[in-house]
Every structure is written in structure tokens, then in C-alpha cells.
Amino acid sequence: MNPPADPSRELSTWDCHAGDVAFTIAAPSEWLSAQRAYLSGFLTTPPGELALAPFNIRVHTDDAAFRQVAETITRSPNTGTVEPVPGLLMQEARQATGRRCYVIATDGVEHQPGAYAVAVQGHDIDLFTHSGTARPHRYPIRLVREAMLRTYEDAGGVIFHAAGVDVGGAAVMVCGPRGAGKTTMTAGLLRLSGAGLLSNDRLVPYQGDHVVAVPLPVPTGRGTIQAFPELERLVRRETADGSALDRMPADFGSTAKHAFTARQFAEAFGGRLIARSTPGLVVVPRLADTDEPARARRLPVAQARRIIAANCFTPRDEFWVRPWLVPRRRTDEQLDDQASAAIEYLAATVPCIEVSFGVRNPVSDLARTLENLMGGVR
């Protein structure tokens, strides 16, 4: 199948990077201009440390191209179903040429079945949207992220469920499950002098003393937003009357979030996006809806190892269940081995500090504790 170009539209290209993975995105000129503006909220310049194979992403925005690839999948004799994210089912068709095609069949996450389709062969990826696709510019970043993660794993990287802030050249990895307070802790760290944001939810350590950022939005609850004037001002500027924030539940641990781009979140604190850093500290947040004062304690190596291992998502990521866009070249056993090595390196060489804090206290108390912590690292 050779999908048609968008009729009567000239395709333009743009080169960008996620870590050291290069992407060339081709799309209709007007669409690409909006796409560049969107992706600029997440992507940075490359670290320039690894020679990794590049990808080409071509975006088709006309209904005819979408219908053609959807019909190809329907007619294919070799079809199956993959579930890359819990609740999101994609129908897959494999062609004799090696090309794989996907369309969303069931969407229990965003409730938009049929929103887009993808065809991929090697490092060439085609994304198909249509006139009924809501917010189509958010989909290429998902392809970029998936390709980046698989490429780094194959190059020896290990994925961790962690936020990351660079403070003076040292990466603070904030490890914890959802609801533990990673975003609040990340905001507190960004208040420190010279701090920059790596990522909100995924980091990839590689080659021992390197860690690269994964481009992700920063979903933030109302409590965190209102605790940090920097964030509340930003939200109220975006929504004129501030009604979006006022409608969010104020309950501690609420799953209703406002999604900032990574760049918005960093720049709200006067920081910038950082592509890579060197592991300097692991912070384990223990936030609670109390007036407990901020406290920090260093964890013994055995406990640190258990916590770091619990937040290691190579080769099994509890949220991105099955790699689909870029098949892994390494076996699960090989990935387990490199994950074990990364866990051991972090546990043995990087201090792991548990920080407890009652969110009914002013965040300035948390900031002082974090400043004292970093004073021992820098």
C-alpha cells in the first residue's frame, strides 16, 4: 500500500529530536507549522552522545488517505489485536511486504475509536488523521515517544517511572507510584536556583552515569497548582477567568488534572527543559493530607534497591503494556539483565532520600528541606 499524498497540498518537513533519536516530520505546511508549535512544548536539542538510527514520520490529514488505510486493515487476511495501553485496543494488519498497519478499534481511555491510523515499515512511519479527529496534533508526540523508548532500550537504556529535575548538573530522580506526590516534589525542586526540568514521569538512565528525559506532559492537580503561585498564575492566564481551575476538585490525590506542557511547567519557575543529566540523587516522596512537617531521611541500600526496582519499567511497563510501533531487538532476558545492572548501579552509588511532607503546610517548608538536600549533593 502506498498512501496518497494530501491532495493539493505541499508537504513540508521539520527535523527534531527526542534525546539522541532524530525525527523528520513531513506534513502539509500549515499543519506542520501548528505541529512544530505543539512539539516545541516537549522537545529539546539533542544531547549529542549516542549515534542512534533516525525515523521518518509522514502525516496524512485527508479523509481519503485515512479511509484507504482503514479499508486495507479491514480487508487484510492477517489481522490481530494489540493493546499498547490498558483499555486501548488497536486492530493490526501485517502485509507481505513487512508493513504493519494499525487503527484504533476500542478506546476505553479517551473514548475516540477510529481517531487515527498508523502504518509502519522499519523506521518509516505514516500517521493518518481525518476531519473528525479531535486535537490531531497530539498524536505525533506519542509516536516519537514510543520510538524513542524502544530505541534507547535497544541501546542499553532502562526506563524508570520517575520525574527528573536537573539541579546544577545533577539529576534528581523522583521515584514513586501515581499519587505519591512526584509532581509536587518536582515543582519544589524547580524552585531551586539553576534548576531545569528533565521529565515529569519517565527517565532513561544509560551508560551508567547518564540519564535522558522522555517528552511527556505534566498533569497537575488543583492542590499543587494552588500551592505554587507560579502555576496558578499560568493556569489563570490560559483560561482568562480561571474557571477551569475553579471547577477542578480540590481533594488531595484527585485524578482530575490540568495538563501543562513540559516547557510550560519548567518556564513557570524560570527554568528550562534539559535533555540529559547525570544521576545525583533519588528522592522518594511521601506526601500526605496532613500538617506533618517536612522531613528527610536517607534510606539504606537494600530499601533503596527495592524502591528503585519497583519503579523500573524495563522490560515491563505497567502503563504502556506492549511495544507495538518499533519492535524490540533485545529479548526480555537481555532487557532484564540491563535493568538489573541499572538498578544496582543507582542503589549503590546514588543517595536515596525519602522526603515526607504534609501538604497542609506551606510549600516553602518543603523548599527549605529540598535546598538542604541539594546542598549535600552539589
Side-chain angles (χ1 to χ4, degrees):
M1 180 193 68
N2 294 309
D6 294 346
S8 304
R9 296 188 183 183
E10 179 183 353
L11 293 182
S12 297
T13 61
W14 178 53
D15 295 330
C16 57
H17 288 79
D20 274 324
V21 184
F23 295 86
T24 296
I25 300 178
S29 299
E30 185 176 345
W31 199 95
L32 185 61
S33 178
Q35 179 65 74
R36 289 181 62 175
Y38 182 83
L39 288 178
S40 68
F42 301 93
L43 302 181
T44 64
T45 55
E49 296 174 329
L50 297 179
L52 301 174
F55 288 83
N56 300 303
I57 298 177
R58 181 170 174 173
V59 181
H60 308 265
T61 61
D62 62 302
D63 292 0
F66 177 85
R67 284 195 302 270
Q68 181 177 338
V69 72
E71 289 169 2
T72 296
I73 295 171
T74 301
R75 294 195 305 267
S76 174
N78 300 310
T79 60
T81 302
V82 296
E83 186 177 16
V85 175
L88 179 69
L89 297 178
M90 304 185 79
Q91 186 178 5
E92 177 190 52
R94 293 177 176 265
Q95 299 178 296
T97 60
R99 193 176 181 88
R100 293 171 286 118
C101 302
Y102 301 88
V103 68
I104 298 178
T106 303
D107 186 355
V109 180
E110 296 176 327
H111 310 290
Q112 294 192 51
Y116 66 92
V118 174
V120 56
Q121 186 161 27
H123 283 221
D124 294 321
I125 303 166
D126 288 282
L127 169 66
F128 303 84
T129 65
H130 53 82
S131 56
T133 302
R135 296 189 293 158
H137 291 94
R138 62 194 166 140
Y139 294 123
I141 187 68
R142 301 183 185 185
L143 306 180
V144 166
R145 193 162 49 230
E146 175 80 11
M148 175 201 179
L149 289 173
R150 300 291 80 80
T151 300
Y152 265 91
E153 280 187 323
D154 283 335
V158 177
I159 302 168
F160 280 88
H161 185 207
V165 176
D166 176 275
V167 183
V172 182
M173 296 177 61
V174 184
C175 288
R178 286 183 175 177
K182 292 196 302 295
T183 304
T184 300
M185 198 68 65
T186 298
L189 287 163
L190 283 171
R191 278 188 163 181
L192 301 179
S193 176
L197 179 65
L198 286 158
S199 180
N200 171 64
D201 203 55
R202 293 292 192 284
L203 295 174
V204 183
Y206 63 98
Q207 294 182 348
D209 61 349
H210 296 68
V211 61
V212 69
V214 178
L216 282 161
V218 188
T220 309
R222 179 175 174 177
T224 299
I225 293 170
Q226 292 184 319
F228 291 91
E230 301 95 331
L231 297 176
E232 183 166 5
R233 285 194 296 269
L234 179 56
V235 173
R236 295 197 182 279
R237 279 202 308 270
E238 289 180 340
T239 58
D241 60 359
S243 59
L245 178 60
D246 296 335
R247 288 194 300 270
M248 291 175 63
D251 301 339
F252 177 76
S254 170
T255 57
K257 309 283 187 180
H258 176 86
F260 296 98
T261 70
R263 192 174 300 280
Q264 284 176 326
F265 198 83
E267 292 181 350
F269 297 94
R272 60 192 179 93
L273 283 184
I274 305 291
R276 57 84 57 192
S277 187
T278 300
L281 189 69
V282 174
V283 168
V284 181
R286 296 281 187 251
L287 272 61
D289 190 14
T290 68
D291 58 2
E292 175 188 3
R295 293 191 180 91
R297 69 181 183 98
R298 181 163 181 169
L299 301 178
V301 171
Q303 187 175 359
R305 185 184 293 110
R306 287 194 297 271
I307 290 172
I308 293 168
N311 288 281
C312 179
F313 279 179
T314 293
R316 289 166 289 278
D317 188 321
E318 64 182 271
F319 304 116
W320 294 330
V321 177
R322 176 177 169 182
W324 62 282
L325 188 71
V326 180
R328 284 168 165 155
R329 294 198 304 269
R330 298 193 177 191
T331 65
D332 278 1
E333 290 76 14
Q334 290 172 322
L335 293 171
D336 268 325
D337 288 344
Q338 69 192 46
S340 295
I343 292 165
E344 189 58 38
Y345 175 84
L346 291 171
T349 64
V350 179
C352 183
I353 310 294
E354 179 185 83
V355 177
S356 57
F357 177 65
V359 297
R360 297 179 189 176
N361 291 309
V363 293
S364 56
D365 293 355
L366 176 63
R368 281 193 294 272
T369 299
L370 295 175
E371 178 65 45
N372 292 335
L373 276 181
M374 293 311 302
V377 175
R378 287 182 287 189

